[in-house]
Amino acid sequence: MTADITVQRADITTVAADAIVNAANSSLLGGGGVDGAIHRRGGPAILEECRELRRTRYPDGLPAGDAVATTAGRLPARWVIHTVGPVYSTTDDRSAVLASAYRRSLEVAAELGAASVVFPAVSAGIYGWPADDAARIAVETVRASPFAGTVSFALFSDPMLRTFEAALAAPRAG
């Protein structure tokens, strides 16, 4: 059984789910884009848990491709799963690291018992990953995952929504 996958045009901080995924930076201490929005809307409880994670488990920061969960604070979710996607490079293929960010997020969601997970377009914003390739990697990775819940992509713009819709409509790789 594989995940039921949908896409929606939405602000991820307003979507109700068991877990939402934060496209975090390795510091886990907030930033711009999705990361900043989640920290602002979720409130100080998220930052407090992130600081504790940095103090204990990740003193050097969360590695790219990994994921870890915290409370969702004031967000309409139970948990925030923070994942660090790679910065896009034209000289170094980091596709496996981007796929790992999605895969590890779903593994963490399963460990938590989450039945619904909402992702942003990891690495497709300030990290510069081309949208069509980011969407393809995201959809293929979720399809290949054993996660059996509901997965949604909450996309902030119409062009990104259309890109993910096209990736979802594409035939399965393999």
Side-chain angles (χ1 to χ4, degrees):
M1 184 175 208
T2 58
D4 176 32
I5 307 170
T6 61
V7 296
Q8 60 184 309
R9 167 91 158 70
D11 173 347
I12 197 168
T13 67
T14 66
V15 179
D18 288 338
I20 64 168
V21 177
N22 179 16
N25 63 57
S26 64
S27 80
L28 295 175
L29 302 179
V34 170
D35 193 18
I38 284 173
H39 276 274
R40 279 190 303 278
R41 248 210 215 146
I46 297 171
L47 183 57
E48 287 172 22
E49 283 193 35
C50 286
R51 283 187 175 138
E52 182 63 13
L53 285 166
R54 282 299 306 275
R55 192 182 68 73
T56 57
R57 288 175 57 190
Y58 300 103
D60 297 324
L62 184 66
D66 205 352
V68 66
T70 65
T71 181
R74 297 188 301 252
L75 297 169
R78 291 180 65 190
W79 301 284
V80 172
I81 298 172
H82 306 266
T83 193
V84 180
V87 174
Y88 181 73
S89 169
T90 58
T91 59
D92 183 23
D93 183 4
R94 298 176 182 166
S95 300
V97 179
L98 181 55
S100 179
Y102 283 99
R103 189 171 37 261
R104 283 290 301 132
S105 294
L106 291 172
E107 289 168 358
V108 169
E111 290 165 9
L112 293 168
S116 58
V117 179
V118 180
F119 282 98
V122 177
S123 289
I126 196 165
Y127 283 11
W129 208 284
D132 58 340
D133 196 45
R136 178 190 59 77
I137 291 168
V139 169
E140 287 179 2
T141 304
V142 171
R143 282 180 172 160
S145 168
F147 184 78
T150 300
V151 174
S152 181
F153 292 96
L155 305 158
F156 203 69
S157 71
D158 288 329
M160 191 65 75
L161 175 67
R162 287 190 297 275
T163 300
F164 271 74
E165 286 172 338
L168 196 55
R172 291 177 181 253

